Amino acid sequence: MIKDILASHEERMQKSIEALKREFASLRAGRATPALLDKVMVDYYGSPTPVNQIAKVAVPEPRMILIQPYEKSMLHEIEVAIMKSDLGLSPNSDGTAIRLAIPALTQERRQEIVKQVNKKAEEAKVAIRNVRRDGNDAVKKLEKAKEITEDESKRGQESVQKLVDKYIKLVDTTKEAKEKEVMEV
């Protein structure tokens, strides 16, 4: 019973880490990566659609993203969506493709991005702590229903805490790696 609780709650913590990594991938770190465009939604025949589903996104150079729409008619829509996004990039279209030049980050912009990294890491930690609360509640519920003893309940809560410690450390490691990537010139 406790093993089931631990397994399901560990899976939720793992999902928090994966979500954090996706968030970090979409933060601009001075290097071109297709993941920068993951949150850019284009109005595709009335429904918001990610750029990578309506265009080929490639990185031909370290500071350049090349976007080639599958339908030429979507070129303008993609340009508009990029300009409206919070990426701060200017699309350059040649009629068949869009080029996004990734400028080098200023020190001020790097510090802003590090603040975003810290905020997102803290949100992930909060999510993991919420999972801890749910796990402890589930263990206490078993104890209250007399399905497990008080000692088993304490051990279960300690196991939940060990999982939390492991995943909080993983958040910190991921955050430090992203900070290092952002701050390198």
Side-chain angles (χ1 to χ4, degrees):
M1 280 182 266
I2 290 179
K3 284 183 179 166
D4 296 339
I5 291 171
L6 290 174
S8 70
H9 287 75
E10 182 171 19
E11 187 178 319
R12 287 175 55 196
M13 290 181 199
Q14 184 62 42
K15 285 180 181 171
S16 294
I17 296 291
E18 290 166 10
L20 178 68
K21 287 180 178 176
R22 279 193 304 277
E23 287 284 333
F24 282 177
S26 68
L27 287 176
R28 187 159 70 97
R31 228 183 261 135
T33 169
L36 281 176
L37 300 173
D38 284 354
K39 291 185 179 175
V40 177
M41 296 299 218
V42 178
D43 183 31
Y44 186 66
Y45 299 110
S47 65
T49 309
V51 171
N52 61 6
Q53 290 184 13
I54 60 171
K56 179 182 167 199
V57 180
V59 181
E61 302 169 25
R63 292 193 183 274
M64 174 76 65
I65 296 177
L66 182 65
I67 305 164
Q68 296 173 305
Y70 299 131
E71 298 175 32
K72 298 289 180 235
S73 61
M74 295 308 298
L75 199 65
H76 179 70
E77 293 289 335
I78 294 171
E79 273 187 278
V80 169
I82 291 169
M83 285 189 273
K84 285 183 180 175
S85 75
D86 63 352
L87 290 175
L89 299 175
S90 300
N92 183 2
S93 173
D94 65 5
T96 59
I98 298 171
R99 285 176 172 59
L100 286 177
I102 310 292
L105 296 173
T106 64
Q107 190 62 27
E108 187 178 296
R109 181 71 179 130
R110 288 176 198 275
Q111 289 168 344
E112 285 175 29
I113 293 172
V114 166
K115 284 180 188 172
Q116 289 179 324
V117 166
N118 287 322
K119 182 176 177 244
K120 298 207 182 295
E122 192 53 43
E123 289 169 3
K125 287 181 182 181
V126 168
I128 289 169
R129 289 182 192 120
N130 287 340
V131 175
R132 171 183 58 197
R133 185 194 59 227
D134 295 347
N136 285 341
D137 289 349
V139 170
K140 288 175 188 172
K141 195 182 280 184
L142 288 177
E143 180 187 354
K144 198 171 189 179
K146 302 275 188 237
E147 293 180 36
I148 61 173
T149 65
E150 191 177 328
D151 288 344
E152 288 174 316
S153 173
K154 287 244 184 290
R155 279 195 295 274
Q157 290 176 47
E158 287 169 6
S159 297
V160 169
Q161 184 58 47
K162 284 179 184 165
L163 273 180
V164 169
D165 293 343
K166 171 184 164 187
Y167 281 93
I168 294 284
K169 189 173 184 177
L170 198 52
V171 167
D172 287 336
T173 306
T174 307
K175 176 187 77 138
E176 288 165 11
K178 186 64 177 183
E179 281 179 352
K180 184 179 177 197
E181 178 187 337
V182 169
M183 293 310 283
E184 70 187 21
V185 181

